[in-house]
Amino acid sequence: MRGLIERWRTAALAAGATRPTAVDTAGHELVERWREPHRYYHTIGHLTAVLDVIDRYASAAPLPDLVRLAAWCHDAVYDPRAPGDRNERDSATLARTLLTRAGLPTPAVAEVSRLVLLTAGHLVDPADADGALLCDADLAVLATPPPEYDRYAAAIRREYAHVPEPDYRVGRAKVLSGLLALPTLYRLPAPTTAWTAPARTNLTRELTSLTRQ
């Protein structure tokens, strides 16, 4: 876990944080949040995967360290029972609190908060390269090979174990339909080329299984 904390610390200091002790405290708090027992998909594994994609395509964004900080914070608050975009809004609030304590400049704090909020609907302005990088990284799992995608879908179902099966099918189908209706699933050139077709295939396959009588 030390290496993961170091990734947080490196990004925060590069983004202008001036209080190293507060940076480290925030990093440990975030790790503990990502390790909460009710998480099955939104775990350290998801965080690491998102960070790895951001590192791979960091040159596409003007402020990649802020994107990294947003990745750390984007699902830091995760309650499957929360309505609407409550988790994203609460995660953005947490980001503002932790990064302000860490001494990050006010404009940088505001930008991280903005990026976190984008993950509620993954609607990104074509000119928003930082938002594109974060949202592409967050949705990269959709383009994984079918067995890996199926493990992702099963983990999401476990997070919503409290929801009866008929209600889950309706709710999950709505989420999948919303993703398929996005103007584009991915925005950066390389992910768009490599990931769009497999992601749409996976989404359509799961949607079909949910709506089958």
Side-chain angles (χ1 to χ4, degrees), residues 24-87:
D24 291 344
T25 299
H28 286 286
E29 177 178 339
L30 288 168
V31 165
E32 290 308 307
R33 287 177 175 274
W34 282 94
R35 297 173 68 181
E36 291 167 336
H38 64 272
R39 297 171 182 251
Y40 294 95
Y41 170 68
H42 294 88
T43 63
I44 289 289
H46 171 57
L47 170 60
T48 301
V50 171
L51 291 171
D52 288 347
V53 173
I54 291 170
D55 286 349
R56 190 183 317 158
Y57 297 108
S59 62
L63 299 169
D65 286 307
L66 296 188
V67 180
R68 292 182 177 99
L69 297 181
W72 271 89
C73 295
H74 82 288
D75 282 322
V77 178
Y78 185 71
D79 177 3
R81 298 175 185 269
D85 63 353
R86 174 67 62 80
N87 284 323

Side-chain angles (χ1 to χ4, degrees), residues 81-107:
R81 298 175 185 269
D85 63 353
R86 174 67 62 80
N87 284 323
E88 289 83 4
R89 289 187 285 111
D90 287 350
S91 292
T93 298
L94 178 66
R96 291 193 296 271
T97 299
L98 295 180
L99 295 175
T100 298
R101 288 176 183 167
L104 212 71
T106 300

Side-chain angles (χ1 to χ4, degrees), residues 9-210:
R9 192 175 196 274
T10 299
L13 294 177
T18 58
R19 299 171 190 148
T21 299
V23 169
D24 291 344
T25 299
H28 286 286
E29 177 178 339
L30 288 168
V31 165
E32 290 308 307
R33 287 177 175 274
W34 282 94
R35 297 173 68 181
E36 291 167 336
H38 64 272
R39 297 171 182 251
Y40 294 95
Y41 170 68
H42 294 88
T43 63
I44 289 289
H46 171 57
L47 170 60
T48 301
V50 171
L51 291 171
D52 288 347
V53 173
I54 291 170
D55 286 349
R56 190 183 317 158
Y57 297 108
S59 62
L63 299 169
D65 286 307
L66 296 188
V67 180
R68 292 182 177 99
L69 297 181
W72 271 89
C73 295
H74 82 288
D75 282 322
V77 178
Y78 185 71
D79 177 3
R81 298 175 185 269
D85 63 353
R86 174 67 62 80
N87 284 323
E88 289 83 4
R89 289 187 285 111
D90 287 350
S91 292
T93 298
L94 178 66
R96 291 193 296 271
T97 299
L98 295 180
L99 295 175
T100 298
R101 288 176 183 167
L104 212 71
T106 300
V109 173
E111 175 64 1
V112 172
S113 175
R114 183 190 72 82
L115 291 169
V116 169
L117 291 172
L118 283 180
T119 63
H122 299 95
L123 283 170
V124 183
D125 186 286
D128 183 3
D130 291 319
L133 177 57
L134 178 63
C135 288
D136 282 9
D138 193 29
L139 296 181
V141 66
L142 304 181
T144 53
E148 186 174 345
Y149 179 91
D150 291 345
R151 288 192 291 272
Y152 146 74
I156 294 292
R157 182 64 182 105
R158 291 185 72 188
E159 290 182 341
Y160 286 86
H162 60 282
V163 179
E165 183 66 17
D167 295 338
Y168 180 79
R169 285 175 173 264
V170 171
R172 180 66 175 166
K174 184 177 180 181
V175 170
L176 300 180
S177 296
L179 289 168
L180 287 166
L182 287 172
T184 177
L185 277 170
Y186 304 105
R187 297 96 184 154
L188 301 179
T192 297
T193 299
W195 297 348
T196 298
R200 293 187 69 85
T201 297
N202 281 329
L203 290 168
T204 301
R205 180 169 56 86
E206 185 185 359
L207 181 60
T208 299
S209 71
L210 290 170

